[in-house]
Amino acid sequence: MTEPALLDRLIDALRCLPGVGPKSAQRIAFHLLERDPEGGRRLARVLAEALDRISRCRRCRTLCENEICDLCANPQRDPSLLCVVEQPSGILAIEQATDFRGLYFVLGGRLSPIDGIGPEQLGLDQLRARLNAGELVELILAISPTVEGAATAQYIAALADDAKVNVTRIAHGVPLGGDLEMVDGGTLAHAFAGRRAL
Amino acid sequence: MTEPALLDRLIDALRCLPGVGPKSAQRIAFHLLERDPEGGRRLARVLAEALDRISRCRRCRTLCENEICDLCANPQRDPSLLCVVEQPSGILAIEQATDFRGLYFVLGGRLSPIDGIGPEQLGLDQLRARLNAGELVELILAISPTVEGAATAQYIAALADDAKVNVTRIAHGVPLGGDLEMVDGGTLAHAFAGRRAL
């Protein structure tokens, strides 16, 4: 009995899940052991395999199990449109919500010199090469409207200008179904300044 | 591409976790792949090992990796006191909150004929054998005060009566720090009827 009991090690290991504290970890451990051992076994197997085999697409930097992801490899997609997102989850969100048929580029973060995240960490050299390759007609920025996001968008817009590629960014404003009183002042000011003719 | 992509399989496998829907599963998958691959690898390893090696203690039916759990094997514990809980998590809760030094017995559920859970599924034959072995002085019921829990407690109390063992149950009432107005009527009626002299 030099090392902790296996159950305690399982509870501790479960805490790597986001938002899971000691109580939830215990609940999850008992759930898997008592009610869903089959699901747990499958999770252990798939998780190990995924961590082993999933890496970044060489073209768009999203997570995938091949050198080039399915989207980049799909000849049906329009290579003249490129949408820049911060994270791979952004691709899933846009694919589910829109009929965008172009390609994507994943930054993996936002410019943040204080955290040591510069253009290199975001793959901006690679993005510049794509801008300069002459295939792009429009670069769409789908980056969060935060201070760091705005700085990142600014930086990328300058790269696109140099390459004479049109840049757009997705609209920021009051979310659909949003109540004006519940929206923060910054968003409202932004939405007001960005009003359009009906 | 006959089977779904590995990332989709991971997201699907994560849904075996209690309370995790498609959105959370996606968030967890990206978290593990991008931010904590080491934690994820450890989780996969420990989870597989735990599901492989953890089974029920032959004496008290809790989850453990040996034939007999550490509590049952501990000669420091008082074998004349036996506390009956529904789930292994009850043992952890009582061990953390009280100075109880006796042993435990885990039912693994409550009597519920409609779900096919009878005395046999709860190991009540085993509990009866322990009651009749003549070592017990007090049987403490720490079973949830629900309808099924009350029926289960009643059944076990009858077994203990047959074996001439004292039965007690933990107090039900208003939780500490609980506001009377926030407590449900059933609990309040129970607490009122169970009032004690100060």
Side-chain angles (χ1 to χ4, degrees):
Chain A
M1 289 299 295
T2 47
E3 69 172 341
L6 190 49
L7 182 60
D8 293 332
R9 284 197 287 139
L10 174 59
I11 292 172
D12 188 58
L14 283 164
R15 296 193 54 190
C16 73
L17 300 174
V20 169
K23 278 265 177 187
S24 312
Q26 202 189 86
R27 196 169 52 87
I28 295 171
F30 285 126
H31 175 89
L32 293 177
L33 289 167
E34 297 192 295
R35 312 241 174 97
D36 195 5
E38 216 26 77
R41 261 179 219 110
R42 178 159 163 262
L43 173 59
R45 203 170 53 232
V46 175
L47 180 56
E49 190 187 345
L51 286 163
D52 214 43
R53 285 181 41 206
I54 290 181
S55 60
R56 296 203 170 271
C57 169
R58 279 175 53 184
R59 242 176 110 66
C60 75
R61 296 166 43 100
T62 194
L63 294 168
C64 73
E65 59 199 290
N66 304 314
E67 285 232 329
I68 302 289
C69 73
D70 290 351
L71 278 171
C72 287
N74 185 346
Q76 308 281 321
R77 308 289 301 203
D78 181 350
S80 71
L81 301 173
L82 187 66
C83 178
V84 177
V85 294
E86 285 173 39
Q87 300 296 347
S89 50
I91 297 183
L92 296 188
I94 294 172
E95 285 292 297
Q96 277 161 21
T98 75
D99 58 355
F100 179 65
R101 297 296 298 160
L103 297 173
Y104 293 92
F105 188 86
V106 177
L107 299 174
R110 297 183 275 245
L111 284 178
S112 175
I114 211 167
D115 301 315
I117 302 178
E120 203 175 320
Q121 280 70 37
L122 302 184
L124 293 186
D125 294 347
Q126 203 179 330
L127 182 59
R128 190 206 312 258
R130 265 178 96 162
L131 283 164
N132 289 326
E135 204 178 24
L136 287 181
V137 172
E138 183 182 353
L139 186 74
I140 302 162
L141 304 181
I143 298 175
S144 308
T146 60
V147 174
E148 289 166 354
T152 311
Q154 212 62 51
Y155 190 101
I156 295 173
L159 295 183
D161 270 351
D162 288 349
K164 309 262 182 300
V165 172
N166 287 324
V167 201
T168 56
R169 70 153 172 71
I170 60 170
H172 304 150
V174 180
L176 294 199
D179 188 330
L180 273 204
E181 290 166 33
M182 307 299 275
V183 169
D184 67 292
T187 300
L188 194 53
H190 213 109
F192 201 80
R195 64 192 178 277
R196 295 181 172 209
L198 263 182
Chain B
M1 289 298 293
T2 47
E3 68 174 343
L6 191 48
L7 181 61
D8 293 333
R9 282 196 289 140
L10 174 60
I11 292 172
D12 188 56
L14 283 164
R15 295 195 53 190
C16 73
L17 300 173
V20 169
K23 278 265 178 186
S24 312
Q26 201 188 89
R27 196 168 52 87
I28 296 172
F30 285 127
H31 175 88
L32 293 176
L33 289 167
E34 297 190 296
R35 311 238 175 100
D36 194 5
E38 216 26 76
R41 260 178 219 111
R42 180 160 161 262
L43 173 59
R45 203 170 53 232
V46 175
L47 180 57
E49 191 187 345
L51 286 162
D52 216 42
R53 285 180 41 205
I54 290 181
S55 59
R56 297 205 170 267
C57 168
R58 278 177 51 184
R59 240 176 111 65
C60 76
R61 296 167 41 101
T62 194
L63 294 169
C64 73
E65 58 198 290
N66 305 313
E67 284 233 329
I68 302 290
C69 74
D70 291 351
L71 278 170
C72 286
N74 185 345
Q76 309 281 321
R77 308 289 300 204
D78 182 350
S80 70
L81 301 174
L82 188 66
C83 177
V84 177
V85 294
E86 286 173 40
Q87 299 296 348
S89 51
I91 298 184
L92 296 188
I94 293 172
E95 285 292 298
Q96 278 162 20
T98 76
D99 57 357
F100 179 64
R101 296 296 297 160
L103 298 174
Y104 293 92
F105 188 85
V106 178
L107 299 174
R110 297 182 276 245
L111 285 177
S112 175
I114 210 166
D115 301 315
I117 302 179
E120 203 176 320
Q121 281 71 38
L122 303 185
L124 294 186
D125 293 347
Q126 205 179 328
L127 182 60
R128 190 206 312 257
R130 266 177 97 161
L131 283 164
N132 289 327
E135 206 179 22
L136 287 181
V137 171
E138 185 182 352
L139 187 74
I140 302 161
L141 303 181
I143 298 175
S144 309
T146 60
V147 174
E148 289 166 353
T152 311
Q154 212 62 51
Y155 189 100
I156 296 173
L159 294 182
D161 270 350
D162 289 349
K164 308 263 183 297
V165 172
N166 287 324
V167 201
T168 56
R169 70 154 172 69
I170 60 168
H172 304 151
V174 180
L176 295 199
D179 189 331
L180 274 204
E181 289 166 37
M182 307 300 273
V183 169
D184 66 291
T187 299
L188 194 52
H190 214 110
F192 200 79
R195 64 193 178 277
R196 295 183 173 206
L198 263 181

